[in-house]
Every structure is written in structure tokens, then in C-alpha cells.
Amino acid sequence: MKNSRNARRYAEALYDVAKEHEHEDQIERELLTVRQVFSAPSELVDFLQDPKQWMNRARIIKSTFMTFSSELVKLLLIMVEDHAEQDVPGMVDHYTYLINEKRGVGVGKVYSVTHLTPHQLEDIEAHFAERFGYKRLALQNEIDERVIGGFKVVINNRVYDASLKAKLEDVRRKFVPLYKR
């Protein structure tokens, strides 16, 4: 929990500075690369976490990300100094969430037993955009055989479950007395 809190704090600070300098979109593009570098096991992350390289950390960050915006480089330097390299992917995710909230775009997943067609996915996005309070939704289809039938939509920890499994659970709750559960 602490790591996600730190990641949110870093993302909100970066977002505020980016908004002030009107670099939100540029930093969003740069963060896609940063996520790739810090998500996968890489020599850079191993190097940054090596206590023997303490004095070289800032130089490596500056040289690796020299074409990136100064706001982002400064944040990465702060995160490395705070030993928060593991929080970088979470920070990127939360920054993306903040940008999408500003744009009125909801991002989430649709769980179904089979792959949905593009038309079905568009219909679900159009229907749930208003229901969840967004101008537009960008949903990713994930296969989950536990759904049994129907689908389940998850957007920012909000769930709409139209699956057969949920309906069966509801029927079970209504018909099975409490003492037999």
C-alpha cells in the first residue's frame, strides 16, 4: 500500500508541474518509454539499485534520459535518490490515469469467456461511458473463463457484473438460507 501511495504522490507532483508548464502530453509520451525501462528487469534498474554505484546514479539518469523533459528527469532523480525505482511503473500508471481523467476518458477491462468483436466492444464502451460518467471509454477485452457467460466491466475499481456467474451467485444468495451458507 505504501508503494502505491508513493507512486500516486510522485505522479500527482509531476502532473501538477507538467500542467503548469503545459507539457502534459509530451511527458505522457515520454513516460511510455520510462515504463518500459523500469518495468522489465534491466541492467539500468540493477545498476541503480547497486549500492556501489551510489555516486553515479544521477549521472546515469541524466545521460540515459537527456532528451526527455527536465521535469521528468528531475522527478526520476528524486525517485532514485529516495530508492523508489520500484514505484516508477505505478507512478506512470497514475499519471496516465490523471491525464485520462482530465480528458474525460475512462480506461478499463471487459472480462468475457470469449473474445469480443470490435463492434461488441464499441457497443459496450458507448453504453458504459455515460453510466460511469466519461465522455469516452477505452476498454481492453480479457478472457476469464470464470465469467461463464455475459461479461464484467471494471473501470477504476468500479465494477459492473453482467456475467452468468454473478447471476447464479445472486440466485444462490436469495434461495439458500443464511445458516446454510
Side-chain angles (χ1 to χ4, degrees), residues 16-61:
D16 290 342
V17 170
K19 192 166 133 183
E20 184 178 307
H21 293 102
E22 299 179 359
H23 293 156
E24 299 108 319
D25 295 333
Q26 175 190 350
I27 289 176
E28 181 185 25
R29 287 188 301 275
E30 293 171 351
L31 283 172
L32 296 176
T33 303
V34 170
R35 177 191 284 133
Q36 289 176 339
V37 170
F38 282 89
S39 290
S42 69
E43 291 179 25
L44 175 65
V45 175
D46 293 341
F47 181 83
L48 293 173
Q49 293 176 339
D50 184 359
K52 296 175 190 171
Q53 301 300 332
W54 178 256
M55 300 303 286
N56 298 322
R57 297 168 87 183
R59 183 177 53 79
I60 294 299
I61 289 289

Side-chain angles (χ1 to χ4, degrees), residues 49-137:
Q49 293 176 339
D50 184 359
K52 296 175 190 171
Q53 301 300 332
W54 178 256
M55 300 303 286
N56 298 322
R57 297 168 87 183
R59 183 177 53 79
I60 294 299
I61 289 289
K62 287 178 184 175
S63 65
T64 303
F65 299 107
M66 76 172 122
T67 60
F68 287 48
S69 63
S70 63
E71 299 92 350
L72 179 55
V73 172
K74 288 176 186 174
L75 179 73
L76 290 174
L77 288 170
I78 291 168
M79 291 182 80
V80 167
E81 290 297 317
D82 289 346
H83 303 284
E85 301 89 3
Q86 73 279 0
D87 293 339
V88 171
M91 180 271 298
V92 173
D93 292 341
H94 192 68
Y95 184 91
T96 303
Y97 166 78
L98 293 171
I99 285 286
N100 285 331
E101 283 293 308
K102 175 188 171 205
R103 295 176 182 152
V105 176
V107 178
K109 295 183 180 184
V110 177
Y111 296 95
S112 62
V113 176
T114 61
H115 284 287
L116 298 173
T117 66
H119 181 68
Q120 289 172 321
L121 198 56
E122 288 171 11
D123 286 347
I124 292 170
E125 288 173 344
H127 177 75
F128 285 98
E130 187 176 320
R131 182 178 214 132
F132 282 98
Y134 292 102
K135 294 177 189 172
R136 184 173 71 79
L137 284 179

Side-chain angles (χ1 to χ4, degrees), residues 156-171:
N156 299 331
N157 296 325
R158 292 170 46 197
V159 179
Y160 178 84
D161 198 344
S163 68
L164 187 56
K165 180 181 178 183
K167 289 180 175 40
L168 290 172
E169 273 297 311
D170 190 39
V171 168

